[in-house]
Amino acid sequence: VAEWMRPFDTDKLTGQPLDPEVISLFALGSMDVCRFGKWEIDAENLSISASETFESEGNTQNLSNLGPNTWNVGFYTYRDMISADKNVDEIKYIWTTANGLDNRMLSKFIYDLYAQYTNRIVPIDDMLSLTEQGVQCSISRIVTSNMTADDYYQFEVNHYVRSIQFGPKAQATAGVDPQLDGYLMCSVLIKNANNPNVGYRTEFWLFDATNIAQGPVCKLQHDDIHFCISLHTAWLPEAKPYNLNYSVDIRSDYDPLIKKLPFPDNL
């Protein structure tokens, strides 16, 4: 996320200017599958004594049901990840988002940066072919004891999962591992295929953490709630009033800077 889709970039697949819809977004055109790993460090000798990773293309012969994969890994979560008063002595399960492959998001600039990457897993021609076809967003649950994935959900085309957070259930469920006993809350951006003039709508989806493959158990949407990226979300054990009186008007704060940017007139 150190690079952006810029107005002067070109699309690697077509050689044409970028789709205006993706300009200013993070440059997330994948150039290989990601690796999600764990390392055991020998602190006395400052060396790695053990390591294990999970990386997967999924079943690329069946893109409609790809299975667990690490195409463009984004955010991840686990129980009590951001707790202010609980330590997590052992992380048994991690849920991670994968942003897939979007044929509009691979700029020639990003391609040229990583085309000669020496530790490649997927041959570059295969990567380009898959990018052209498109790979949908997904969530995988990783079992950290052996770094394998045991649960998976694949989003529909034009559904983009953003941030993800774990929220424990208010009452513990008997017989369920506490690290599974809760819900995943995801922010989801959805293209309005039936009404392109509206663009995208934004929703929050809740998954049962014990079984994400069954799909969301609840979807939340409100006409007054809009977001694009939603880098991070946070789960709080309870909602309370606040008395923060610091407020800055967004338009007056950013408009002078935005007017100086060299955007084309049609953006």
Side-chain angles (χ1 to χ4, degrees):
V1 294
E3 302 290 348
W4 306 84
M5 303 294 278
R6 305 164 304 184
F8 49 82
D9 284 330
T10 57
D11 187 308
K12 169 59 184 176
L13 296 175
T14 66
Q16 299 299 310
L18 293 180
D19 182 341
E21 193 172 65
V22 304
I23 290 176
S24 82
L25 297 180
F26 293 126
L28 294 179
S30 283
M31 288 294 290
D32 201 2
V33 290
C34 297
R35 301 160 176 84
F36 201 96
K38 64 176 182 179
W39 289 262
E40 182 179 305
I41 299 174
D42 183 338
E44 290 186 358
N45 298 308
L46 297 180
S47 61
I48 297 175
S49 55
S51 65
E52 196 170 3
T53 62
F54 170 72
E55 62 273 333
S56 175
E57 301 173 56
N59 180 13
T60 56
Q61 302 303 311
N62 183 14
L63 294 181
S64 63
N65 186 20
L66 188 65
N69 67 87
T70 53
W71 281 113
N72 207 343
V73 167
F75 297 106
Y76 64 90
T77 190
Y78 54 86
R79 178 162 184 167
D80 296 323
M81 176 176 171
I82 59 171
S83 175
D85 57 5
K86 295 180 181 178
N87 291 324
V88 182
D89 296 326
E90 179 185 6
I91 303 170
K92 295 181 180 179
Y93 304 98
I94 292 177
W95 291 263
T96 181
T97 63
N99 292 299
L101 299 172
D102 188 325
N103 56 24
R104 304 172 300 166
M105 294 294 290
L106 181 58
S107 66
K108 184 178 183 300
F109 174 71
I110 292 297
Y111 177 88
D112 290 343
L113 275 180
Y114 299 105
Q116 303 303 318
Y117 174 58
T118 57
N119 295 312
R120 177 172 302 284
I121 295 175
V122 180
I124 197 164
D125 289 342
D126 293 348
M127 185 278 304
L128 288 174
S129 175
L130 286 168
T131 300
E132 190 167 16
Q133 295 177 70
V135 171
Q136 293 150 235
C137 295
S138 62
I139 301 173
S140 296
R141 183 175 69 202
I142 298 174
V143 183
T144 62
S145 60
N146 56 13
M147 295 305 290
T148 60
D150 70 342
D151 198 5
Y152 169 78
Y153 178 80
Q154 180 167 306
F155 290 84
E156 297 178 25
V157 175
N158 292 324
H159 284 51
Y160 302 94
V161 61
R162 299 308 188 194
S163 48
I164 182 174
Q165 189 53 257
F166 187 101
K169 290 185 178 179
Q171 300 296 326
T173 305
V176 176
D177 187 320
Q179 291 203 14
L180 291 173
D181 196 19
Y183 298 95
L184 300 182
M185 181 183 76
C186 305
S187 54
V188 182
L189 192 66
I190 303 171
K191 189 173 182 65
N192 283 315
N194 296 328
N195 189 357
N197 293 326
V198 176
Y200 292 82
R201 70 179 186 274
T202 53
E203 298 182 354
F204 294 98
W205 289 16
L206 296 179
F207 293 84
D208 183 338
T210 65
N211 184 3
I212 61 173
Q214 70 179 337
V217 297
C218 179
K219 297 180 181 180
L220 306 171
Q221 187 269 338
H222 194 282
D223 290 341
D224 291 338
I225 296 177
H226 304 280
F227 57 81
C228 178
I229 298 299
S230 72
L231 285 181
H232 303 280
T233 58
W235 173 86
L236 298 173
E238 56 183 325
K240 293 182 178 180
Y242 69 95
N243 58 4
L244 186 66
N245 56 12
Y246 176 79
S247 178
V248 176
D249 179 73
I250 294 176
R251 291 187 181 276
S252 62
D253 192 28
Y254 279 96
D255 273 357
L257 294 174
I258 292 174
K259 291 177 180 178
K260 295 179 182 180
L261 297 176
F263 285 131
D265 294 338
N266 61 342
L267 294 179

